[in-house]
Amino acid sequence: HDKPKVVIVIFGATGDLAKRKLFPSIYRLYQNEKISKEFAVVGLARRPWTNDVFRENVKHSIDDAHATDDDIDSFTSHFYYHSFDATSDASFQELNSLLGDLENTYQTEGNRIFYLAMAPEYFGPIANSLKSFGLKNSAGWSRLVIEKPFGHDLKSANELNNEIREAFDEEQIYRIDHYLGKEMVQNIEVIRFANGLFEHLWNNRFISNIQVTSSEVLGVEDRARYYDHSGATRDMVQNHMLQMVALLAMEPPIKLTTDEIRSEKVKVLRALRQLNTEDIGDYFVRGQYSDGTMDGKQLNGYQQEADTLAGSNTETFVAGKIMIDNYRWAGVPFYIRTGKRMAVKSTKIVVEFKDIPMNLYYTEESKKHPNLLVINIQPEEGITLHLNAKKAGAGSVAQPIQLAYTNKEVDGINTPEAYEKLLHDCMLGDATNFTHWDEVAYSWAFVDAILNAWSSTKAYFPNYPSGSMGPEAADRLLEKDGFHWWPII
Ligand code: BG6
């Protein structure tokens, strides 16, 4: 590939995401020469910043011990700030002429990325103004990147989508799910489809259940307003968790093209067993953290984190059993769990294989040790295979052993950050690791049923202490099926 030439326009440039993820990612792309040296970034927000203030902020967001001041200054000289009011016609006209000027200066051939990293109520109106004020009419391509949340439920997501689609074609829309940019999430497909050892066993004859955990130590932080309106199910399950399930469960695509992979993922999401209100309690568990101590520090319960959270019925934890009613997966539960203020920051997938028909060996604790394939998404990146082997010198006794592969140790460098890869993909026009509207719609339909059932009843919150692995009910969810969560620590 030629190095992409582009002007990146960031709506919401004074926000948290821009600072924590976007600026550092653009810097890495620049440093690793993944983008043309001739590029520009336009930051938009309401605040009346100057280019200099903006560049200072960008500079602070890049924490790279190896970079010299000169290097960072020449990088930030490509950043321009424009004070912007999304409801003002003049703002869009000025932006358009600024882009024209920058395209002249940097010879970026009219390629434009419009990155919406701001309050979702502006997504639709901005997309339409970009069209009506001619910002999409440059000589090159125009792409729209949209952050979450993509709607609040199926209905609002649908409305948002229709609004955006009036201005942009599906091929121009890049809906971000940053989990799809994680190295080991991308590795799920490779591990499955490049290994006969796994793929031949990857079905309901040989797999007993699959467990996907994404736990966080942090609480709601300063996002109470967003989070209390959202909750763990909208924040993590509708997008990240269901995307991982789709990658674990999909059929091999006939080719590794965007459309073929998407269509296999969509088939999984179509096969999710839809839950009735009466059944929700058998399949899903919600939780909210109470106070607790971690590393000797006293932590607040969710309802004490902000005044507005007192009495909140919002879940900060969710665990569920997802059934995929198709030929490959009939009868195999996919258990998921995710939450804030849990014991550890970790995202892991455990694939538990069925027992052999008869076990000839004693094991030490006379416990069964099923074969497990553990895919470590973060913070470790790698896979661990749990097998049984002879215990040395001990007669006919088997003991569990582990074969482990760690990404980081082998490469010796940090794998690229998710946003870095996704931004680069977008510049190259590769939408494989972005979510298509169909995926969004099926995920919302599944999640809506759960949320509707929950919204009509008051939960017994709080029900798990900060620093734990969630409420006991999440353990019972598996126990009643004869399974248990495999420890992820
Ligand atoms: C985001 C959620 O999508 O994912 C956050 O809005 C959550 O609440 C985050 O903390 C987790 O991402 P990661 O990459 O840290 O696992």
Side-chain angles (χ1 to χ4, degrees), residues 148 178-179 182 216 223 235-236 240 340 345 378:
K148 60 179 289 210
H178 78 284
Y179 269 57
K182 292 186 191 282
E216 294 187 76
R223 293 162 84 211
D235 191 46
M236 294 291 291
H240 313 319
K340 301 270 182 207
K345 169 79 181 167
Q378 60 186 23

